[in-house]
Amino acid sequence: MSQVSPGDEHDRLSLPQLRLDDLLGELQSRLAAVLATRDRVHALLEAVVSIGSDLELETVLRRIVEAATTLVEARYGALGVIGDGGRLVQFVTVGISEEEIAGIDHWPHGEGILGLLIKDPRPLRLPDLAAHPESAGFPAGHPPMRGFLGVPIRVREEVFGNLYLTEKAGGGEFDEDDESVVTALATAAGVAIENARLYQEARRRERWLQASAEVSTTLLSGTQAGDVIELVAERAREICDADMAMVALVEGGELAVAAVAGERADGLRGLRVPIDGSLAGRVFRSGEPLVLTDTVAAEHRLGVPEAVPTGPALIVPLGLGSGARGVLSVVNAPGKPVFGEPVRRLLEPFAAQAAVGLELAGRRRDAERLVVLEDRDRIAKDLHDTVIQRLFATAMTLMSAIKITEKPEVAHRVQRAVDDLDNTIRQIRSTIFALQSTMEQTLRTRVHGVVDSAAETLGFAPAVRLDGLLDIVVDEATGDQTVAVLQEALSNAARHSGARHVTVSLMVGDELVLRVEDDGVGIPEGGRRSGLRNMAERAEALGGTFEIRPRDGGGTVLEWRVPPAAHQ
């Protein structure tokens, strides 16, 4: 019988121990994997709850990107929203600082790898972005990125956009588990986005109903057209969630900005762009709305100064055909969302309704003017047919009495009474002429009338420059004061300056500015100042300023500034 050595006995005893250690190690590894999977599932559930707990679309999009980067431990994340034509119209980023964003030459438009995902909306994992044949590189200032995971987000079978994740923590590559988790998140994200869009659409439609009713009521209640146009711009901005809104009306072959609403509105009111060759003019002539994904490019400038940053824009006509009055534009800052089809469907009828309201209000004012004109015409006929005839008969009787009057003093008194009657008849005839003339002249017409009258006393015709929406923005009370100041200024120039040239300039923007320049002798020391004091008091009463100063090269410059409406 063979004997077993002590070494063989030890080997037989240690072999089961080794197998047990391997089994325990494998069990521990699997438990760790289960725990990791459990933690990831919990994290995914928390992410789904998080993105579904808000109904503001911008907030939902950002939470989706933040959740995705956290789940797969990515350094950078982005969500690109796909617009018409398969281009990215919005880009929400996580992991890039504001300084880095400012240093990037331009946002992605949907080319290269991003375009590949748009053309073929399926999950895509790459160990190195630059090594892929479809790679188009990065714009200047973009941080370097290698590992990539892209997953489409679908809303009702429509690809809303794509999730882009890069640079996994520790320099590793994205694996199948990462792809599965992000795909699951994208499915939940589609539901959250659809809910947010429906909520946004409901709120926008509610604002549209309120704004349409408010504009119509304000127009038909007799509010001045300038105030109503300002209201149209403000409500359009609110309906579209835009950064800025502008109303431009046709004036003298150009489109002049009559109202602006938004943070960057300063200095744009009164801006003029030609109808031919401009984007706004194209919309005005065609009657078709125009959606711009980017207005930074030179061919897509809106005509606003380059110092005012503009991004996506939507321009709709303010009325159609013969009833077209101008255009209504809403604009977002660069990088903000493009105005989609739901916004256009609301803004277009809002602009059409506002145009109809403006037309009806104008017709109502014309009807009221006609009633007054008819009444004035009746009064004028009564004055002519009755009052003047009786006064004339009385004067004739007195003139016949002069011949039979013996005392000179009596004849003198009767003659004076006849002269007074003649003056009264002339005044009544002047009143009749005024009653039979147009009831309400525009501010432009009144200014030209004052200048024409002053030409007789000056001995020459002053140069006139009128700029801005004078007949729309300036209210009646301010217009009356402006005409009175102009009359006084031209009267002073005719009586005291000895000028050979006078220039009258009247412009309206944020302020109404009347400037009268002459090349005369200037203001003498110790001269009467009552007229100048009256002009200053008129400016102060309207919340404005008055200044008179020497003109370069000799003469005087008078500048009168007031708000365009007396209530401001």
Side-chain angles (χ1 to χ4, degrees):
M1 188 174 180
S2 61
Q3 293 183 343
V4 179
S5 66
D8 293 337
E9 183 68 23
H10 179 271
D11 290 340
R12 286 198 298 270
L13 293 175
S14 60
L15 185 59
Q17 183 66 37
L18 290 174
R19 290 176 180 171
L20 180 60
D21 290 342
D22 291 341
L23 290 172
L24 289 174
E26 184 179 352
L27 178 60
Q28 187 176 3
S29 176
R30 293 193 178 187
L31 285 174
V34 169
L35 291 174
T37 302
R38 183 200 65 181
D39 293 341
R40 177 166 276 192
V41 169
H42 285 170
L44 176 60
L45 291 174
E46 289 177 1
V48 170
V49 172
S50 174
I51 63 177
S53 62
D54 203 296
L55 290 174
E56 291 292 341
L57 184 57
E58 289 293 316
T59 304
V60 169
L61 297 181
R62 180 158 296 278
R63 286 185 177 179
I64 291 170
V65 184
E66 291 173 348
T69 55
T70 301
L71 285 172
V72 298
E73 298 179 331
R75 181 178 179 183
Y76 303 112
L79 193 156
V81 179
I82 303 172
D84 296 335
R87 293 177 66 84
L88 296 178
V89 296
Q90 187 179 356
F91 214 67
V92 182
T93 62
V94 169
I96 301 179
S97 66
E98 293 295 330
E99 293 76 13
E100 289 175 313
I101 292 175
I104 296 175
D105 184 49
H106 62 82
W107 283 113
H109 300 305
E111 301 171 352
I113 299 299
L114 305 190
L116 179 62
L117 261 175
I118 295 173
K119 291 181 289 186
D120 185 14
R122 292 183 297 177
L124 177 65
R125 281 186 294 121
L126 299 173
D128 188 356
L129 274 169
H132 195 278
E134 292 282 342
S135 178
F138 297 106
H142 198 286
M145 297 179 181
R146 293 185 70 256
F148 175 83
L149 172 59
V151 175
I153 298 176
R154 299 178 185 273
V155 177
R156 292 188 177 182
E157 301 306 319
E158 169 198 354
V159 178
F160 172 83
N162 292 309
L163 264 174
Y164 308 113
L165 303 163
T166 60
E167 295 296 286
K168 187 174 178 66
E173 298 180 7
F174 295 106
D175 55 25
E176 291 184 5
D177 290 341
D178 294 328
E179 181 181 319
S180 299
V181 169
V182 176
T183 301
L185 178 68
T187 302
V191 177
I193 290 171
E194 177 66 6
N195 291 338
R197 290 168 74 178
L198 292 173
Y199 174 71
Q200 188 180 55
E201 181 72 14
R203 286 183 58 193
R204 189 177 285 129
R205 188 167 294 278
E206 181 182 359
R207 288 197 297 266
W208 176 80
L209 290 171
Q210 293 174 347
S212 298
E214 184 179 6
V215 169
S216 299
T217 302
T218 305
L219 273 169
L220 299 178
S221 66
T223 304
Q224 291 194 10
D227 294 335
V228 177
I229 293 171
E230 291 282 354
L231 179 64
V232 169
E234 181 59 39
R235 294 299 176 262
R237 188 181 70 85
E238 293 175 358
I239 289 172
C240 302
D241 290 325
D243 291 328
M244 182 172 61
M246 296 185 292
V247 176
L249 302 180
V250 176
E251 183 180 298
E254 294 181 310
L255 286 167
V257 177
V260 188
E263 296 180 359
R264 302 189 301 277
D266 295 341
L268 295 182
R269 190 176 286 102
L271 181 74
R272 306 173 77 90
V273 296
I275 293 179
D276 295 326
S278 67
L279 294 173
R282 187 198 310 174
V283 172
F284 172 74
R285 290 200 185 282
S286 68
E288 296 293 329
L290 179 62
V291 179
L292 299 172
T293 59
D294 185 12
T295 58
V296 175
E299 66 271 17
H300 283 166
R301 290 296 299 174
L302 294 174
V304 303
E306 293 190 8
V308 179
T310 56
L314 169 61
I315 310 173
V316 298
L318 199 63
L320 298 174
S322 60
R325 307 175 69 92
V327 296
L328 173 60
S329 308
V330 289
V331 186
N332 270 341
K336 288 290 191 69
V338 173
F339 299 102
E341 184 67 16
V343 176
R344 187 195 64 77
R345 287 199 304 264
L346 290 179
L347 187 63
E348 200 171 1
F350 174 75
Q353 185 173 348
V356 171
L358 288 169
E359 184 70 20
L360 289 176
R363 297 289 179 89
R364 182 177 58 81
R365 286 193 295 270
D366 290 342
E368 292 174 352
R369 291 191 187 103
L370 183 59
V371 170
V372 175
L373 285 173
E374 291 174 347
D375 200 33
R376 287 187 170 200
D377 187 55
R378 178 187 59 79
I379 295 172
K381 288 179 180 178
D382 289 345
L383 287 173
H384 182 271
D385 296 342
T386 58
V387 177
I388 284 184
Q389 297 303 323
R390 289 181 182 178
L391 289 174
F392 186 75
T394 304
M396 294 294 294
T397 302
L398 290 174
M399 288 182 68
S400 63
I402 292 176
K403 299 178 182 179
I404 61 175
T405 300
E406 297 180 356
K407 294 183 178 181
E409 61 271 16
V410 174
H412 178 71
R413 290 183 179 180
V414 173
Q415 183 62 52
R416 190 166 59 187
V418 171
D419 293 340
D420 289 342
L421 286 172
D422 285 341
N423 287 331
T424 302
I425 290 172
R426 281 194 294 271
Q427 291 174 3
I428 292 176
R429 281 176 174 165
S430 177
T431 302
I432 291 173
F433 176 77
L435 287 171
Q436 290 176 332
S437 65
T438 303
M439 182 196 72
E440 180 183 341
Q441 293 181 316
T442 65
L443 180 55
R444 288 174 177 268
T445 305
R446 295 173 68 188
V447 168
H448 281 296
V450 171
V451 172
D452 292 343
S453 298
E456 299 179 6
T457 55
L458 285 167
F460 59 86
V464 182
R465 179 193 172 194
L466 306 179
D467 195 11
L469 302 173
L470 295 169
D471 300 331
I472 294 177
V473 177
V474 182
D475 68 6
E476 184 177 356
T478 306
D480 292 341
Q481 297 291 346
T482 305
V483 171
V485 170
L486 178 59
Q487 287 174 326
E488 181 69 26
L490 292 177
S491 175
N492 288 344
R495 288 181 295 169
H496 307 302
S497 71
R500 291 179 296 176
H501 298 91
V502 174
T503 301
V504 174
S505 172
L506 183 62
M507 299 169 288
V508 67
D510 292 334
E511 288 184 308
L512 177 66
V513 182
L514 171 65
R515 185 179 294 110
V516 180
E517 300 184 26
D518 66 66
D519 60 353
V521 298
I523 303 175
E525 292 293 335
R528 294 182 59 188
R529 303 277 173 163
S530 57
L532 300 179
R533 184 170 60 252
N534 289 340
M535 286 187 267
E537 289 175 353
R538 290 179 188 273
E540 292 174 4
L542 294 174
T545 59
F546 171 73
E547 178 188 6
I548 188 165
R549 61 182 183 272
R551 174 179 172 270
D552 293 340
T556 305
V557 177
L558 179 152
E559 192 168 276
W560 193 77
R561 293 175 173 268
V562 296
H567 66 275
Q568 291 184 352

